[in-house]
Amino acid sequence: MSTPVVTSKWAGTFACSGMCQRKQLMGEEFSKKALERYRKDGKPLKCKQCVAADEQTERGNAAKRKVVDDNSDETRRCAGKCERVLPKASFNRNQYSKGDGKSRCRDCVEQSVKDESANQAKSKEEKISAARKKVDDAKRSGNAQQILAAESELAALEAEKVTGLKPIKLSAGRGRGRGRGGVRGRGRGVGRS
């Protein structure tokens, strides 16, 4: 059987067309949607860091452009973690339109996006470490079938990290001896209508 591979030393074949211009990036550096567009249309890729930086500058520019109404005394309670009563200017248009009790302020939205991305990265690392533990347990048991299944799962997770493609489970297919999908009998014309 193979030895565990150190994935931190892997280099991918993707390059960022954003501000960083980094080369040889793995698939995990890009969003799933960006990788799909790249594979389908050959559109340039931007890594998650460049996209986050662009979003941050856009938010800053939007805040600067925001014309605050002096006559607007509208306030609303934030439905996010802060639960503060804030003026309308503290909410983006999308969140404010959700109504009272459902809209979150800009700071809460930004924090939840950061938390979600951190949780996703942590989840992927936990899955890989759990798969490595499963391989070690299977090797200790000595059962070849368990070892193969555990190493296959680990290889699929590591490959997903590098390529950004999720593994596809192949079904048994329509091989010999499976019948004809609801038609009884396998002989010539037997059971056909």
Side-chain angles (χ1 to χ4, degrees), residues 80-143:
K81 288 184 180 180
C82 73
E83 296 182 355
R84 298 179 291 174
V85 176
L86 299 166
K88 183 178 180 177
S90 297
F91 298 88
N92 65 28
R93 195 177 340 141
N94 183 29
Q95 288 294 324
Y96 195 80
S97 68
K98 290 182 177 182
D100 201 16
K102 295 181 182 176
S103 53
R104 297 182 296 168
C105 66
R106 294 177 195 267
D107 295 335
C108 288
V109 170
E110 198 169 318
Q111 186 61 41
S112 68
V113 168
K114 287 180 185 176
D115 292 345
E116 184 180 345
S117 64
N119 286 341
Q120 285 178 349
K122 184 179 175 184
S123 173
K124 285 182 182 180
E125 290 303 319
E126 286 175 353
K127 283 181 182 178
I128 289 176
S129 64
R132 285 191 177 126
K133 185 180 181 309
K134 202 173 183 181
V135 168
D136 292 340
D137 293 343
K139 285 182 179 178
R140 277 191 224 107
S141 75
N143 185 342

Side-chain angles (χ1 to χ4, degrees), residues 4-113:
V5 178
V6 180
T7 57
S8 62
K9 295 183 180 180
W10 284 3
T13 59
F14 301 109
C16 178
S17 65
M19 291 175 49
C20 71
Q21 296 290 316
R22 295 181 299 159
K23 310 278 186 223
Q24 294 185 336
L25 299 175
M26 291 192 286
E28 73 173 355
E29 295 282 336
F30 302 95
S31 71
K32 182 179 177 182
K33 201 78 149 170
L35 287 171
E36 287 173 0
R37 279 194 308 256
Y38 175 74
R39 289 189 179 99
K40 184 179 178 185
D41 304 328
K43 294 195 176 185
L45 286 169
K46 265 191 186 179
C47 66
K48 290 178 184 177
Q49 291 177 359
C50 289
V51 170
D54 289 348
E55 287 175 355
Q56 188 67 26
T57 55
E58 180 60 33
R59 276 192 217 104
N61 292 341
K64 289 177 187 174
R65 284 192 310 260
K66 185 78 175 160
V67 177
V68 180
D69 255 344
D70 294 330
N71 298 337
S72 177
D73 291 336
E74 295 180 53
T75 60
R76 183 172 283 178
R77 180 173 296 279
C78 176
K81 288 184 180 180
C82 73
E83 296 182 355
R84 298 179 291 174
V85 176
L86 299 166
K88 183 178 180 177
S90 297
F91 298 88
N92 65 28
R93 195 177 340 141
N94 183 29
Q95 288 294 324
Y96 195 80
S97 68
K98 290 182 177 182
D100 201 16
K102 295 181 182 176
S103 53
R104 297 182 296 168
C105 66
R106 294 177 195 267
D107 295 335
C108 288
V109 170
E110 198 169 318
Q111 186 61 41
S112 68
V113 168

